[in-house]
Amino acid sequence: MAKIYFKEEQKFNQWWIWLLIAVCCGIWIWQFVQQIIMGKPFGNNPMSDLGVILTGIFPILVLLLFRLLKLETLIDEEGIKCRFMPFQRKYKTFLPLDIAKYEVKKYNPLMDYGGWGIRYGRKGTAYNVRGNIGLYLELKNKKNFLIGTQTPDSIRYGVEKLMKMNER
């Protein structure tokens, strides 16, 4: 088993995301209770009972998706690895010999990459969940990659350890 220098798991746990999801689910529950259980049509132009039931699928799926979403970052003897679960089962791996430059830096998720998640922006590809600090990798093939982190000192230590081990 490869020696692990750094490991981090991040989830979307920003209060505003969960508030938005809760509001959407709450509206659907209110609509469901009023129309299906109490038998009173919901709104001025109510949809069918089947429509009410089917529209509940969307907020429930969004709730489940955000519950399962997580960014996993791992630095071991092989390289820097990251994946966005549940979309990626295999890690995206960056080998030390492919890395031209690295730095832990502050960035603007919206301006630099267009938001959070797996993003393709003008500054390269980003895997981020929250915050504005990440491990920036400049690869020898001239591609750029950013991995968001909540523990900048630890990820810096992990990369430095990896790169030192591969200088030999």
Side-chain angles (χ1 to χ4, degrees), residues 5-166:
Y5 304 126
F6 173 81
K7 187 173 185 177
E8 182 179 30
E9 184 178 289
Q10 299 177 70
K11 292 186 168 216
F12 284 95
N13 58 8
Q14 295 92 321
W15 66 269
W16 59 271
I17 291 174
W18 292 104
L19 178 64
L20 186 62
I21 292 170
V23 167
C24 290
C25 287
I27 290 170
W28 176 75
I29 289 169
W30 180 29
Q31 178 184 21
F32 181 85
V33 167
Q34 184 173 332
Q35 186 161 323
I36 306 297
I37 296 175
M38 296 172 61
K40 293 180 2 185
F42 184 82
N44 294 335
N45 190 10
M47 65 174 73
S48 69
D49 289 353
L50 179 61
V52 170
I53 293 167
L54 292 177
T55 55
I57 292 171
F58 180 72
I60 290 169
L61 287 176
V62 170
L63 175 75
L64 289 173
L65 175 66
F66 273 89
R67 189 76 185 105
L68 294 173
L69 274 175
K70 65 181 171 183
L71 172 59
E72 294 177 352
T73 307
L74 178 70
I75 301 175
D76 62 17
E77 293 172 324
E78 296 173 11
I80 301 167
K81 303 173 182 181
C82 62
R83 67 180 173 185
F84 234 110
M85 294 294 286
F87 299 118
Q88 296 173 310
R89 291 221 178 265
K90 291 183 177 181
Y91 281 104
K92 180 163 187 64
T93 303
F94 301 96
L95 302 174
L97 58 102
D98 295 334
I99 299 170
K101 180 180 154 190
Y102 67 90
E103 71 176 300
V104 175
K105 68 177 198 172
K106 213 170 194 180
Y107 68 100
N108 186 320
L110 288 172
M111 298 302 290
D112 297 341
Y113 298 98
W116 294 268
I118 300 173
R119 310 302 297 187
Y120 304 97
R122 60 186 170 85
K123 293 192 175 183
T125 302
Y127 280 28
N128 58 18
V129 171
R130 63 181 199 263
N132 63 350
I133 298 175
L135 172 63
Y136 178 77
L137 302 172
E138 190 176 295
L139 306 177
K140 289 181 180 171
N141 66 6
K142 301 297 179 204
K143 291 185 179 181
N144 301 322
F145 203 89
L146 182 121
I147 304 167
T149 185
Q150 299 302 302
T151 56
D153 294 334
S154 297
I155 201 168
R156 182 181 297 111
Y157 171 81
V159 176
E160 288 171 358
K161 191 90 167 152
L162 169 70
M163 298 308 272
K164 277 183 187 164
M165 294 300 292
N166 284 279

